Amino acid sequence: SLRLAIVYSSVTGNTEQLAEMIQKAALDQGFRTELYRIEEFSLAAILDYDVVLIGTYTWGSGEIPEEMHSLYQAVEKLGRKEQWTAVFGTGDSFFAEFCGAVDRFRDMLYVKTQLVATLKVELTPQQNDVLRCEKLIELIREKEMQ
Ligand code: FMN
């Protein structure tokens, strides 16, 4: 089966909770899945995974957090069209660019990789977000079966 890596950054825990929800959905659907905080993830390991799922909060004015820049640049530079990706995040719709960091990753991943799915959540994930996480993983399963 496919190998999945979930790589995320989180300051106040929202994106971490979402990453854990996605990991549970992936494990429940039988995928080998490893969860990494960005600080624990070696960029060279991107090549070890069939699917890389990137999780990010947004800061500044719709911006990608500093600690996620090297991952962004590594994926962009690799430009592996056979690499499957997804991007998810939490944000606060009080801000003009809701989950702007997810949008920025999405635009790059769409060009440089095979972007399978995106997911945005308002602040702390809720019970109904479990279904959305399951749906995200189902999109990976569907693509695997094509
Ligand atoms: N959320 C957005 O959707 N867009 C933004 O532009 C944005 N800017 C932010 C700027 C600052 C200084 C802070 C503190 C938060 C901002 N947020 C923005 C909200 C965070 O992305 C949101 O609280 C997120 O859930 C935090 O994730 P975490 O709990 O994983 O750290």
Side-chain angles (χ1 to χ4, degrees):
S1 73
L2 298 178
R3 283 194 71 189
L4 274 58
I6 301 171
V7 186
Y8 71 93
S9 183
S10 182
V11 174
T12 58
N14 294 335
T15 311
E16 179 170 52
Q17 283 185 41
L18 186 57
E20 287 168 354
M21 234 181 223
I22 290 169
Q23 185 189 31
K24 183 172 187 306
L27 292 172
D28 287 351
Q29 293 188 45
F31 288 111
R32 292 179 292 169
T33 309
E34 279 150 57
L35 182 67
Y36 300 94
R37 266 188 177 277
I38 185 66
E39 295 83 7
E40 307 165 342
F41 187 69
S42 142
L43 293 176
I46 291 171
L47 299 171
D48 300 340
Y49 293 94
D50 302 296
V51 191
V52 178
L53 299 95
I54 298 170
T56 183
Y57 63 97
T58 296
W59 83 296
S61 310
E63 279 167 48
I64 294 172
E66 186 67 36
E67 69 277 13
M68 294 300 279
H69 285 180
S70 56
L71 176 62
Y72 181 103
Q73 282 154 9
V75 175
E76 185 176 41
K77 188 153 177 249
L78 275 170
R80 289 178 78 225
K81 257 301 181 185
E82 63 272 34
Q83 177 79 67
W84 295 7
T85 58
V87 59
F88 63 92
T90 65
D92 183 344
S93 55
F94 168 82
F95 291 90
E97 282 190 62
F98 175 61
C99 288
V102 172
D103 291 341
R104 286 169 198 213
F105 264 104
R106 177 201 62 207
D107 291 351
M108 182 276 289
L109 294 171
Y110 180 76
V111 174
K112 299 290 182 178
T113 71
Q114 290 188 49
L115 179 66
V116 182
T118 68
L119 176 62
K120 296 178 182 179
V121 166
E122 176 80 16
L123 296 171
T124 306
Q126 305 294 312
Q127 195 51 39
N128 62 320
D129 293 312
V130 170
L131 259 164
R132 301 175 70 208
C133 292
E134 288 168 357
K135 188 74 204 165
L136 184 152
I137 299 299
E138 275 162 28
L139 289 171
I140 294 168
R141 171 178 308 293
E142 280 166 20
K143 188 171 170 68
E144 183 184 21
M145 290 190 301
Q146 276 169 18

